[in-house]
Amino acid sequence: MKRVYLDNAATTPLDPTVVAEMTNVMQNYYGNPSAIHALGREVRTLVEKARKTVATLLNASPSEIFFTSGGTEADNTAIRCGTAAYGIKHAITSKIEHHAVEHTLNMLLKDGVIDKLSFVNIDEKGNVDYAHLEELLENNERSFVSLMHANNELGTLTDMQKVGDLCEKYNAIYHADTVQTMGHYTHDVRQLKAHFIVCAAHKLHGPKGVGFLYVNNSIKIPPMIYGGAQERNMRGGTENVYGIVGLAKALEIAYAEMQEHQKHVQGLKDYMKDQLIAEIPGISFNGETDAEKSLYTVLNVSFPEMDMADMLLFNLDINGICASGGSACSSGSNIGSHVLNGIKADPNRPAVRFSFSKYTTKEDIDYTLEKVKMVVKQNALA
């Protein structure tokens, strides 16, 4: 059976060039990068070369890049250590952030690290109300703002420049969760005014279990993980050397091929959207879908009410379609997607997130459309 992978927002397949780069390191470079002997020094060189590659692509200083185990650790470090370093008691976020942000802020509130957690208003498409954000900033003491660049379920983009300008105006610290957009858009940290941005390599055809945190050199934070002196005393633990090398290579490839891949993927997304509208009555979409307002790798489809709606993803899976999704809360026993709940999506309409990559083909989309139409027809309400 043909298998089509359309869950790239969850993780992406490794680029073969990345695999080759990592394999070379695994086979030939085994010294501990903290060791002072020759084998250790040559491995340290690989780590610092990767750091410089990442920094150059972001227009950052290498001293602002800290390697982590992924996006979740990077988000946690930014939030927990950023609030602690400056004694910040008020945080601002939205109700559709990734759990790495939402759960961390809720725990800080529960533990009394922060006294107040405010939620900026969002509309039915997941757009931030910037006027409300400014009200929250001006009516409170110094704040910590955590808002993602692109929503991982909806694809709706937030204007990082606008958020950064507001944070600068009110002396707030700004953390942007850029996990979904790193490698898909350029991030010039000298223009963005964000104090923290993050990366998970596996979202851009790199390896799982490695990422980075950018920390603007205007602020200083304590480490979250203590131990050795790795990452300039900011993260104890022996470095994931081949992962770090793979991350840098994946980001380098993403930047080199970004324009080409964006055009390819946006074309597939637009084609799938148009075909769904033409072929399935009552279809709609969660989040923004216009190219200027939406992450081009994500399309969240809101299907008409149907029998066995909770089996939609399973039925797609047995027909060879790998996707993800859910629904808004429809009962006390089903908490549903907190993102769809946050935009007040119809709980009776099942939602599927299709997410694309540079390896997705038009043939993949045509096959998916064929199976989607079949499954929807089979489960249509009588």
Side-chain angles (χ1 to χ4, degrees), residues 43-344:
V43 175
R44 167 58 55 196
T45 298
L46 294 177
V47 172
E48 295 312 317
K49 181 182 176 184
R51 195 187 314 278
K52 185 174 180 180
T53 296
V54 171
T56 300
L57 293 170
L58 299 182
N59 195 22
S61 165
S63 65
E64 297 174 307
I65 304 299
F66 300 91
F67 294 116
T68 67
S69 65
T72 294
E73 184 194 326
D75 283 336
N76 268 259
T77 303
I79 294 167
R80 296 164 74 97
C81 301
T83 52
Y86 294 93
I88 294 177
K89 297 298 183 181
H90 176 236
I92 302 171
T93 189
S94 82
K95 291 190 175 180
I96 60 171
E97 299 300 306
H98 191 277
H99 283 149
V101 169
E102 180 197 22
H103 290 173
T104 304
L105 287 168
N106 283 332
M107 185 56 65
L108 292 184
L109 182 65
K110 179 181 176 183
D111 290 347
V113 176
I114 59 174
D115 298 331
K116 185 177 181 182
L117 180 58
S118 299
F119 296 95
V120 66
N121 293 336
I122 54 171
D123 67 15
E124 71 282 354
K125 294 289 187 180
N127 293 294
V128 169
D129 182 339
Y130 299 104
H132 184 232
L133 175 59
E134 183 162 17
E135 287 178 26
L136 293 173
L137 286 166
E138 67 183 353
N139 292 328
N140 288 278
E141 57 188 314
R142 190 180 192 189
S143 302
F144 186 98
V145 175
S146 183
L147 293 169
M148 65 203 324
H149 184 200
N151 186 271
N152 56 302
E153 292 190 33
L154 306 174
T156 301
L157 289 166
T158 294
D159 189 333
M160 292 176 68
Q161 199 67 52
K162 189 173 290 187
V163 175
D165 288 343
L166 287 171
C167 288
E168 182 180 59
K169 181 178 178 180
Y170 294 99
N171 193 32
I173 292 182
Y174 174 28
H175 162 244
D177 181 349
T178 49
V179 164
Q180 285 295 335
T181 59
M182 188 62 64
H184 300 300
Y185 298 93
T186 58
H187 292 87
D188 184 340
V189 297
R190 294 293 165 253
Q191 301 296 321
L192 285 176
K193 300 179 182 176
H195 297 93
F196 304 101
I197 64 173
V198 301
C199 170
H202 71 104
K203 304 291 189 179
L204 52 123
H205 306 288
K208 297 174 180 64
V210 65
F212 69 77
L213 170 66
Y214 157 81
V215 182
N216 186 279
N217 58 20
S218 67
I219 61 173
K220 304 296 179 185
I221 62 172
M224 187 175 76
I225 297 176
Y226 289 86
Q230 293 88 354
E231 294 302 292
R232 299 183 308 287
N233 293 303
M234 277 292 294
R235 184 189 188 272
T238 302
E239 296 90 341
N240 174 7
V241 178
Y242 47 83
I244 289 169
V245 169
L247 181 161
K249 177 55 67 174
L251 192 62
E252 188 176 47
I253 294 169
Y255 266 67
E257 302 176 351
M258 191 178 295
Q259 191 171 2
E260 173 190 345
H261 292 155
Q262 185 167 355
K263 182 179 179 182
H264 169 70
V265 175
Q266 185 69 57
L268 294 177
K269 176 179 175 176
D270 291 342
Y271 173 71
M272 186 173 191
K273 175 188 170 186
D274 292 344
Q275 291 298 309
L276 286 169
I277 291 171
E279 298 288 342
I280 302 179
I283 204 84
S284 62
F285 304 94
N286 295 307
E288 295 286 0
T289 57
D290 292 344
E292 307 78 35
K293 298 179 179 180
S294 177
L295 172 60
Y296 57 90
T297 58
V298 170
L299 182 66
N300 192 302
V301 182
S302 177
F303 286 93
E305 293 183 45
M306 61 179 71
D307 288 330
M308 305 287 286
D310 56 343
M311 296 293 288
L312 177 57
L313 282 175
F314 175 76
N315 286 325
L316 290 176
D317 184 35
I318 63 176
N319 281 283
I321 312 301
C322 299
S324 62
S327 64
C329 180
S330 56
S331 71
S333 60
N334 172 26
I335 61 172
S337 160
H338 77 284
V339 172
L340 295 179
N341 288 332
I343 63 169
K344 298 179 173 57

